[in-house]
Structures are given as C-alpha cells and as structure tokens.
Amino acid sequence: MHEDAERCARAVKARDARFDGWFFTAVVTTRIYCRPSCPVAPPKVENMRFYPSAAAAQQAGFRACKRCRPDASPGSPLWHHRADSVAKAMRLIADGVVDREGVPGLAARLGYSVRQVERQLVAELGAGPLALARAQRAQTARLLIETTALPMAEVALAAGFASVRAFNETVREVFGLSPTELRARRRGPAGGVPGVLPLRLPFRAPLHPDNLFGHLAATAVPGVEEWRDGAYRRTLRLPHGHGVVSLRPGGDHVACLLALADLRDLSIAIARCRRMLDLDADPVAVDEQLAADPLLRPLVRRAPGRRVPGTADAEEFAVRAVLGQQVSTAAARTHAGRLVLAAGEPVPDDGGLTHLFPTPAALLELDPSALAVPGARRDAFTGLVRALAEGRIDLGAGADWAEARAGLAALPGLGPWTVEVIAMRALGDPDAFIPSDLGVRAAARALGLPATPAALTGRARAWRPWRAYAVQHLWATGDHAVNRLPA
C-alpha cells in the first residue's frame, strides 16, 4: 500500500487508524515518522514519504514520533494472513529467530540463501532482516525502559542488544532521546506487582471480544489456562524460560500483564499473545467481504470484528485437537488436564496455574495405554506426538501451511476436520475451512446456505481468503462457541 501515495495521503489527512501498521508516514522537514492516525496536524503532501515498515523509516534516517508512537502500532495483517516467504520471515523475526540464530538461521528455516532472504525483504519492506530485528529490539527496549525500574544494562541485555553502547545508540537514533531521557518522560514511577510487566496490546477496531475470550475460557486446560477476575490467564513456554500472561479486553486495547522468568522473552511473548488473539487482523476488510453474502450479512452486522482464536503454542493445540476428536469440550479439557499432571512442568503462580503444557518429547515418554480414549485415537495421538518430537511436521511461526497440512493428513487418525482446525487455530491460516463440521452445517442450514460439504464449499469460494472468520460467525449461531464473556 505504501506505493500508493495518493491513498496514503488521504488516510493521513483523515487520521484513519485502520491503516496503522499498514504503512508509516515520514516527514522530510522534521525527520520524524508517524502512524497514519497521528493526532498532530498532517504535514504538506509534498513533505510526506511513505514506508512499509518502521524499520525502513528508521533506516532512511527518520526517528519515531514521541506522540503517536508508531513503533507500537498494530502489526501489518499481511504477515499473519499470508503464506509466502516474506510473511514467514516476518513471523519468524517476531518470534525472535534472528536474535537467537542470526540471519543464517532465518534463511535456513525459510529454505533460501541469506542473499535471497535479504533481497526479498528489502524489496517488499524496505529493510533487511537485521534492520527489522533491530526495530523490534528498540520497541522491546522502550517497553522495558517505561514499565520497569531495571538498570539500563539489564534492559539492554533483555532487549537483545549485544552491548550497552549499541543499546544507547539505537534508542537515541530511533526515539531521539537517550534511554535515561526516555525513562524520565514516563508518567510516574514504574508500579504494579514486582516482576510483572503491564502492557497495552493495540488492535484495529472493531473487536468483538466475546467469542474470542469466551472460547479460550471455555476450552481452558486446568493448570495451564484459567479465567480469573475478568481476565484470561495462561502459562507460556518460551525460548529462555517460562512465562505467565493475563489478558483482559478493553475498549481500544487488550490489557496484558506478563511475568517472565527471563526478560529476553518479552518480544516473543508479546508476538505469541497477539497471534493468539488475532490482534493484527484487518476486521474491516474481513467484514466487508463476508457481508457481501446476503445470508452472512446479518451475522457480520450483529458482531463486527470477530476474530479467530489462535494459540500460544501450536504443538500444544495440535495435541489438544486430536484429544478433542468426537468428544465434548469438557471431556477434551479432562483428557488434556491429565496429560498436564502426568508430564507437564510445574511453574509458580499466585492464581490457579500450575504447569506448562508438556512438550511432544515429554508426551512421547508416556504410556499411551493410560489415555482413557479409544484405541484409534491413542494411535493418532502417538503418531502426532512422534512426528512433532522428531521434527517431521513443523507447526511453528515460519511453517509452510501446505506442507504442514500434507504432513498432518498423512498421519493415522487425522482427518480433514482435525487438519483444518489445526490449520485455523495453530497455523493461523485465515482461509481454513471445515464444511463437514456439524455445527457449521447446522448453522448453514438454519441460514438457508447449502448444508452439504461440497455445496457449502462452492458457496464459500466468495468468502475467500477469510473462510476461517466465516466459520466463527457460523459457530456463534449454535452451541459450539461461547458467545459472551464469562462472569
């Protein structure tokens, strides 16, 4: 979109928040870059320059606006709803791969050379992987500077900088202030619970929180997830340690409280929470396309901004999907809870959380005969866990959606329903579709849509690439999803 200067200029003049994260506006006279919705009076059109990423604007010599904080805008929906190599690279960078494995590690995961990855990212985003990772480190540093009282040397290490000098130079270059000056600008001292980081996760309006948080609460695995005091809480398995997150829906943001064993996991934890809540979606684009179908239109108008509930751990969700085949939500929670007690790692918490969900390697050590499920489902569980533990199936942030589907479908006991549910919730494919689902078929029949899988698939071609969102609307008409927040 950043190449359409006329459209970008209109969005800036209208201060249209829907385009925050889609592009960034730099002003040549002030050398500052902003999000489109910046409340400051718009500059003259001839003084505007448009960039596809904050990293590209920074690399061009612009610093972040102190008022609209463009570095903290919602992420571009392109990187979460596309399956190409650039989108995979952006998901992997957000998941900290460049910081942990360097650009060669990123290239190896994508199956390209370092030079090819650099060329693709620069062509589409105006910045290479190092610049993109640097922009992410700068944002992490700002969060730690403003929300904690940590010494700056510890902030630098936690944000992923190789040295305090690099940290100081980057913060000053990106924000136009030294770390000490940036901390002095915060409103009041760092407060709250010691060791807990209070954050605000922005999103594009509208957001319909009921099905999103209601579903997460209704399917919560005991010990790993809970709904407590109006917030969804869960444990997180992260590269450097564990975490506990509390997420509460608000008017223009999701309030997030993060307790991390290792602060180096901050940006990764945020990225996973955003994916779990589908916060980088473009609800206006989704709703417009689905509402073009006259039979879906009333559902969309009734609940604009529905999201697809995701997951903080793709392998965990895949295991739970298999355990949940052909059983009630309560039974699926019970089966998963038994696995947690048998093989999960204990974690401390002041609430009701007790464990991390077990890894595939840990689950592989269990005696499958102890699972109180039919033999065919035990075989499916064992086959999936072994494939995940051996790395034969990749469900991570940079996974190839087609390859993952093919690998899952080749396992015994995993039919189209299970494969598509995993694609929808774990991989984040916005076009995942399950026309054979009984809830979807019942809702389709009630609305006057075709009810047979083949006919419904034909009708749903007009909903692409947002069929996963259509499924959320259809499920909400019946008993499948919780359509209001828990008390």
Side-chain angles (χ1 to χ4, degrees), residues 147-150 190-198 244 257-261 263 348-350:
T147 60
T148 75
L150 286 174
V193 180
V196 177
L197 302 176
V244 172
L257 295 177
L258 264 175
L260 300 173
L263 286 174
D349 179 54
D350 293 333

Side-chain angles (χ1 to χ4, degrees), residues 89-112:
M90 290 299 289
R91 292 195 290 269
L92 286 168
I93 291 170
D95 208 48
V97 167
V98 170
D99 289 334
R100 296 194 304 274
E101 304 173 19
V103 178
L106 173 67
R109 286 174 177 252
L110 295 172
Y112 291 102

Side-chain angles (χ1 to χ4, degrees), residues 87-156:
K88 293 176 193 174
M90 290 299 289
R91 292 195 290 269
L92 286 168
I93 291 170
D95 208 48
V97 167
V98 170
D99 289 334
R100 296 194 304 274
E101 304 173 19
V103 178
L106 173 67
R109 286 174 177 252
L110 295 172
Y112 291 102
S113 69
V114 169
R115 185 176 179 181
Q116 286 174 309
V117 172
E118 291 268 5
R119 185 170 61 247
Q120 290 179 18
L121 290 176
V122 169
E124 185 154 350
L125 287 154
L130 286 177
L132 292 163
R134 176 177 178 268
Q136 180 170 290
R137 286 195 294 272
Q139 168 62 3
T140 303
R142 182 172 193 160
L143 285 173
L144 292 171
I145 290 168
E146 294 182 340
T147 60
T148 75
L150 286 174
M152 293 303 178
E154 293 184 32
V155 171

Side-chain angles (χ1 to χ4, degrees), residues 303-355:
R306 279 196 186 277
R307 301 303 209 267
V308 178
T311 179
D313 188 321
E315 293 183 341
E316 170 194 316
F317 181 82
V319 170
R320 291 169 57 177
V322 169
L323 290 177
Q325 289 175 337
Q326 300 177 343
V327 298
S328 67
T329 297
R333 294 177 68 233
T334 298
H335 291 319
R338 289 171 180 163
L339 291 183
V340 169
L341 290 176
E345 298 172 38
V347 296
D349 179 54
D350 293 333
L353 304 181
T354 59
H355 291 79

Side-chain angles (χ1 to χ4, degrees), residues 114-475:
V114 169
R115 185 176 179 181
Q116 286 174 309
V117 172
E118 291 268 5
R119 185 170 61 247
Q120 290 179 18
L121 290 176
V122 169
E124 185 154 350
L125 287 154
L130 286 177
L132 292 163
R134 176 177 178 268
Q136 180 170 290
R137 286 195 294 272
Q139 168 62 3
T140 303
R142 182 172 193 160
L143 285 173
L144 292 171
I145 290 168
E146 294 182 340
T147 60
T148 75
L150 286 174
M152 293 303 178
E154 293 184 32
V155 171
L157 177 64
F161 287 95
S163 68
V164 174
R165 179 179 178 180
F167 160 71
N168 287 330
E169 290 176 351
T170 297
V171 170
R172 185 178 290 278
E173 182 179 333
V174 172
F175 303 114
L177 296 168
S178 70
T180 303
E181 291 169 333
L182 196 59
R183 176 165 282 175
R185 286 172 56 89
R186 72 184 179 194
R187 297 176 181 175
V193 180
V196 177
L197 302 176
L199 310 171
R200 293 161 62 99
L201 305 183
F203 54 78
R204 292 178 185 84
L207 180 139
H208 187 74
D210 291 23
N211 80 302
L212 181 60
F213 285 88
H215 185 85
L216 292 172
T219 60
V221 175
V224 175
E225 305 167 283
E226 68 172 354
W227 181 266
R228 179 181 289 265
D229 299 330
Y232 167 74
R233 304 179 73 245
R234 71 155 292 147
T235 59
L236 300 171
R237 183 184 299 280
L238 299 163
H240 299 100
H242 73 271
V244 172
V245 66
S246 171
L247 298 162
R248 186 189 309 272
D252 62 353
H253 68 279
V254 172
C256 172
L257 295 177
L258 264 175
L260 300 173
D262 192 316
L263 286 174
R264 289 177 295 173
D265 288 324
L266 175 58
S267 64
I268 301 165
I270 292 172
R272 294 185 183 179
C273 289
R274 293 191 67 82
R275 289 194 71 192
M276 179 170 62
L277 301 181
D278 198 18
L279 295 184
D280 290 321
D282 183 352
V284 174
V286 174
D287 290 354
E288 283 181 354
Q289 181 147 338
L290 297 184
D293 188 315
L295 296 182
L296 279 185
R297 189 178 303 135
L299 302 185
V300 176
R301 296 290 183 256
R302 191 179 309 141
R306 279 196 186 277
R307 301 303 209 267
V308 178
T311 179
D313 188 321
E315 293 183 341
E316 170 194 316
F317 181 82
V319 170
R320 291 169 57 177
V322 169
L323 290 177
Q325 289 175 337
Q326 300 177 343
V327 298
S328 67
T329 297
R333 294 177 68 233
T334 298
H335 291 319
R338 289 171 180 163
L339 291 183
V340 169
L341 290 176
E345 298 172 38
V347 296
D349 179 54
D350 293 333
L353 304 181
T354 59
H355 291 79
L356 296 173
F357 196 87
T359 64
L363 292 173
L364 204 55
E365 299 295 321
L366 296 179
D367 180 3
S369 64
L371 285 174
V373 297
R377 199 169 312 141
R378 279 202 301 271
D379 293 342
F381 168 83
T382 302
L384 172 66
V385 167
R386 180 171 288 110
L388 293 173
E390 295 174 354
R392 289 187 282 115
I393 294 178
D394 178 15
L395 302 179
D400 182 287
W401 295 346
E403 287 183 8
R405 276 185 168 92
L408 292 168
L411 296 175
L414 271 68
W417 185 92
T418 305
V419 171
E420 285 303 297
V421 166
I422 293 173
M424 181 187 301
R425 299 281 311 280
L427 295 175
D429 183 353
D431 204 36
F433 192 51
I434 42 178
S436 62
D437 180 83
L438 294 179
V440 169
R441 294 181 65 186
R445 188 180 298 110
L447 290 171
L449 291 164
T452 64
L456 185 57
T457 298
R459 175 65 174 258
R461 289 194 187 100
W463 306 342
R464 303 190 75 172
W466 311 119
R467 293 185 299 178
Y469 294 86
V471 169
Q472 302 305 310
H473 284 286
L474 294 171
W475 271 342

